[in-house]
Amino acid sequence: MPCPAVFPDAKGAFTFFLYTLLGTNHGILVALSRKESGSFLYNPTTVVLVVECVKLVAATALYAKSSSVGELVQEVVKHRKLGALYFVPALLYCLFNNLSFINLANYDPTTYFVLLQLRVVMMGFVYQCLFRKRLTMMQWSSLVLLTIGCIIKEIGYQKWVKKDTSLHNGKDNEDKDDNKDGTLHPLLTPNIATAFLLMAVQGLCSCFASVYNEYLLKGKASTANQSAPLMVQNVFMYLNSILCNLLFLVFKGDFVSVFQWKSIQSIGHPIVIGIIVNSATTGLVTSVFLKSLNSILKSFANAIEILLTTFVSYILFNSPLDLFTALAVLVVVCASFVYNLNPVKNEDLRRESGQKEEEEN
């Protein structure tokens, strides 16, 4: 658990824990909506598009609660350049959301969250390359620990899958002979390699979108764009997200199928409704999180999700809860804790950005 000094106030602490619970709920709800074959009860892209529409309506309603729709339109026109910048994180979040359904179909929830922690390693490179901030030895040590934890969990899960499949098919002895025929280890098979690649892409999308979104909320949005209101920035994000998802549908060739009655009807399933409400709430909470806290602390919240998801997955899905899982979770949590003892501070980023602008002027 992070120390109280990490949070600027009670609102920041509440945002932190709410984000953690919502993230855990997402993994569990998506897993519950998965069929035995690995497919889903619905079209994932349709659900993602509906979620973005719900978030747009919610952001508009929250802004109109204290102002008016007319004033919102004026703010959108006034900060239209900022709106164009939000296309980048919107596109990355679009890829992240769609990949989450694919990766949750490939892994159990606990493994999914542990492997997703690789984005913390990527975030270190993003900060160091884009913001020219050299990470300390302690920070890189924690990232190495985190990588080790991910590998431990994946090896343990693959051993469990292989054993479970062998017992289920009654071919325990035949599987033992497979290794003698030169069969590759599960971690080296094309399917597993593809799964790892998809997780890496999802993690990269997550960390870069998070950092860039935070930069807009704390940097660009407070300087060149005269500090656009938070909900106006959310409107920009969700409008661009809807556009990105529509383009994604055209690219996949699923534009028509997504709007078919079967796809729309599946949205009425209770679990799907839960996914939509939970995801929309998460989107709004994330913007508040990045505005008041930072991306590094966000990674710490993701680490806590592993603990919660491990416990819930064991109860609901009988996911492996063995020595590999316990050791991996312990290493990941310790790595996240060590990293957050000396994180990259966003205050320094804003100060350096301001100094750079003064030098240019």
Side-chain angles (χ1 to χ4, degrees):
M1 299 295 290
C3 60
V6 172
F7 306 114
D9 49 34
K11 179 181 177 181
F14 176 77
T15 302
F16 178 90
F17 290 108
L18 179 58
Y19 173 84
T20 303
L21 291 176
L22 290 171
T24 303
N25 287 340
H26 177 74
I28 299 301
L29 287 171
V30 172
L32 286 173
S33 68
R34 186 174 59 191
K35 299 178 182 178
E36 292 183 1
S37 61
S39 60
F40 294 97
L41 302 170
Y42 50 87
N43 187 317
T45 309
T46 302
V47 172
V48 170
L49 186 60
V50 171
V51 168
E52 296 303 323
C53 292
V54 172
K55 288 192 289 189
L56 176 61
V57 172
T60 303
L62 289 173
Y63 183 86
K65 184 179 180 181
S66 58
S67 301
S68 66
V69 177
E71 292 178 350
L72 174 61
V73 174
Q74 293 177 0
E75 289 288 343
V76 170
V77 174
K78 178 182 178 181
H79 301 286
R80 56 186 178 278
K81 292 183 179 179
L82 176 62
L85 294 176
Y86 266 101
F87 182 81
V88 175
L91 177 61
L92 294 174
Y93 278 130
C94 173
L95 293 175
F96 175 86
N97 290 331
N98 284 278
L99 284 173
S100 69
F101 290 97
I102 298 175
N103 290 328
L104 278 168
N106 292 333
Y107 297 99
D108 69 283
T110 301
T111 303
Y112 167 80
F113 280 115
V114 171
L115 290 178
L116 198 57
Q117 291 305 304
L118 286 171
R119 59 186 169 181
V120 180
V121 180
M122 299 175 187
M123 187 168 299
F125 285 104
V126 170
Y127 264 102
Q128 192 159 267
C129 294
L130 295 184
F131 302 123
R132 298 180 181 179
K133 298 191 69 67
R134 185 178 299 276
L135 299 182
T136 65
M137 183 63 68
M138 178 182 293
Q139 291 168 344
W140 279 119
S141 297
S142 67
L143 300 184
V144 172
L145 281 174
L146 191 58
T147 304
I148 294 175
C150 294
I151 294 175
I152 292 174
K153 181 63 180 71
E154 175 60 17
I155 292 176
Y157 178 64
Q158 291 301 328
K159 286 181 175 294
W160 176 79
V161 169
K162 186 175 180 180
K163 179 179 179 181
D164 182 72
T165 303
S166 300
L167 294 177
H168 180 72
N169 295 329
K171 298 179 180 181
D172 190 44
N173 293 330
E174 295 179 10
D175 288 338
K176 291 180 179 179
D177 294 334
D178 286 341
N179 293 329
K180 297 179 180 180
D181 298 330
T183 303
L184 293 174
H185 188 278
L187 291 176
L188 301 179
T189 59
N191 290 337
I192 297 301
T194 301
F196 265 121
L197 178 61
L198 291 177
M199 284 299 309
V201 172
Q202 184 183 2
L204 184 60
C205 289
S206 174
C207 73
F208 191 84
S210 179
V211 173
Y212 190 72
N213 191 19
E214 182 182 347
Y215 176 73
L216 292 179
L217 288 168
K218 295 179 176 178
K220 287 289 187 179
S222 61
T223 55
N225 294 279
Q226 300 176 356
S227 187
L230 176 61
M231 287 304 154
V232 172
Q233 296 185 61
N234 282 337
V235 168
F236 286 138
M237 172 64 78
Y238 305 145
L239 280 174
N240 281 300
S241 295
I242 292 173
L243 175 61
C244 289
N245 278 283
L246 291 175
L247 292 175
F248 186 77
L249 292 178
V250 174
F251 176 77
K252 288 177 58 181
D254 293 338
F255 188 85
V256 176
S257 62
V258 166
F259 296 99
Q260 292 179 344
W261 173 244
K262 183 179 180 181
S263 298
I264 298 176
Q265 188 179 30
S266 64
I267 297 176
H269 193 283
I271 295 180
V272 180
I273 294 176
I275 292 174
I276 293 173
V277 173
N278 189 84
S279 298
T281 306
T282 302
L284 294 171
V285 172
T286 300
S287 65
V288 177
F289 194 115
L290 294 176
K291 183 73 173 181
S292 58
L293 301 174
N294 56 69
S295 298
I296 304 300
L297 191 57
K298 184 167 171 279
S299 69
F300 193 81
N302 294 329
I304 295 181
E305 289 176 16
I306 298 176
L307 294 176
L308 297 177
T309 305
T310 300
F311 178 72
V312 178
S313 297
Y314 175 72
I315 296 175
L316 297 180
F317 312 115
N318 195 30
S319 296
L321 192 61
D322 53 12
L323 181 60
F324 282 100
T325 299
L327 182 59
V329 170
L330 178 61
V331 173
V332 169
V333 172
C334 288
S336 298
F337 178 76
V338 172
Y339 186 82
N340 281 275
L341 288 176
N342 187 22
V344 177
K345 297 181 179 180
N346 295 104
E347 289 76 9
D348 297 335
L349 175 61
R350 292 197 299 270
R351 183 166 54 252
E352 292 176 3
S353 177
Q355 292 175 351
K356 182 178 180 180
E357 290 182 0
E358 291 179 358
E359 292 176 357
E360 291 177 351
N361 294 331

